[in-house]
Each structure stands twice: as C-alpha cells, then as structure tokens.
Amino acid sequence: QVQESGGGLVQPGGSLRLSCVNSGETLDYWAIGWFRQAPGKEREGVSCIDATTDRPYYSESVKGRFTISEDHGKTTVYLQMNGLKPEDTAVYYCAVDLLGESQNGRHCHAEDFDSWGQGTQVTVSS
C-alpha cells in the first residue's frame, strides 16, 4: 500500500514536493508512478520511474518542470513540482506496477498500475 502527502495550495510559479511512502507490502514492483485527475477529466500519467534502473519518464505537459526521484531504501518516491501552473490543479495519486504491465514505467498509464494511494490535492491559484 502507498500513501501520498505534500499537496496544498500554491500560487502560479510556485513549487511543491509530493511524497509517496511505500508501506512495505508492495516492495516488489516494476515501476512506481505519479498520476493526476482534475475534475471532469480522466486520470493521466504525470511521471513514472523504473524500479530497477531509476530511469524516469515524464508527460510532455510537465517535462522540464517536475522531477521524480526515489530514496535509496526504495520506501519513498518524491515528485518535485516547480513552475506550477493553474492547469496542474488536480488530485495527485501514487501507484505501483506489480505485474510489469507498464514496461518498467515506460508506459506511464493508469491502467497499467495496480496499488493506489488515496491521493493528495494540489491547487494552483492566485
């Protein structure tokens, strides 16, 4: 099981760092990723990371602004979000790929991930 934290209200251009803590029940996984869902929209992949090589993948909408990283103990994954825009407003979720369907994170799609957290709200507004 994973649990997200770090969301909040921030002004445009600001920064937030989200954390995803892996409880230990899902230590054996292929990839871990961040996803978001805005009201009325489908859940979209933001960034995923290969559990073995730590290679990151980013959606075009966040490339150059967001950075995904994983601590050495593989217990926490972070999403550093800089240059936030109002369109980044959404509930952000963390999830792990237990079955290998994401091809180690290369397919950063919600349908390829299995174990989900409850989400954390990010609101970008002046």
Side-chain angles (χ1 to χ4, degrees), residues 28-35 43-45 48-49 57 94-116:
D28 188 14
Y29 54 87
W30 295 88
I32 193 166
W34 285 98
F35 303 82
R43 192 169 297 188
E44 64 170 342
C48 293
I49 189 166
Y57 299 91
C94 176
V96 293
D97 174 13
L98 301 174
L99 304 177
E101 295 179 338
S102 75
Q103 296 191 19
N104 295 83
R106 185 162 55 249
H107 295 169
C108 194
H109 305 142
E111 60 266 28
D112 294 329
F113 285 73
D114 312 290
S115 181
W116 291 82

Side-chain angles (χ1 to χ4, degrees), residues 3-118:
Q3 180 65 54
E4 309 91 340
S5 63
L9 173 64
V10 64
Q11 293 185 343
S15 298
L16 282 175
R17 189 176 80 155
L18 305 183
S19 299
C20 171
V21 177
N22 189 334
S23 68
E25 297 176 357
T26 53
L27 283 178
D28 188 14
Y29 54 87
W30 295 88
I32 193 166
W34 285 98
F35 303 82
R36 66 187 181 188
Q37 188 166 19
K41 294 188 176 182
E42 293 187 355
R43 192 169 297 188
E44 64 170 342
V46 174
S47 180
C48 293
I49 189 166
D50 186 320
T52 302
T53 67
D54 289 340
R55 177 175 179 174
Y57 299 91
Y58 299 97
S59 68
E60 287 300 320
S61 62
V62 306
K63 196 173 292 184
R65 299 188 297 124
F66 291 10
T67 302
I68 191 171
S69 61
E70 191 169 23
D71 71 353
H72 293 296
K74 302 290 186 182
T75 59
T76 306
V77 174
Y78 304 97
L79 186 68
Q80 178 67 43
M81 305 187 295
N82 299 327
L84 283 161
K85 304 175 181 180
E87 51 264 43
D88 294 318
T89 295
V91 178
Y92 283 69
Y93 298 91
C94 176
V96 293
D97 174 13
L98 301 174
L99 304 177
E101 295 179 338
S102 75
Q103 296 191 19
N104 295 83
R106 185 162 55 249
H107 295 169
C108 194
H109 305 142
E111 60 266 28
D112 294 329
F113 285 73
D114 312 290
S115 181
W116 291 82
Q118 297 299 308

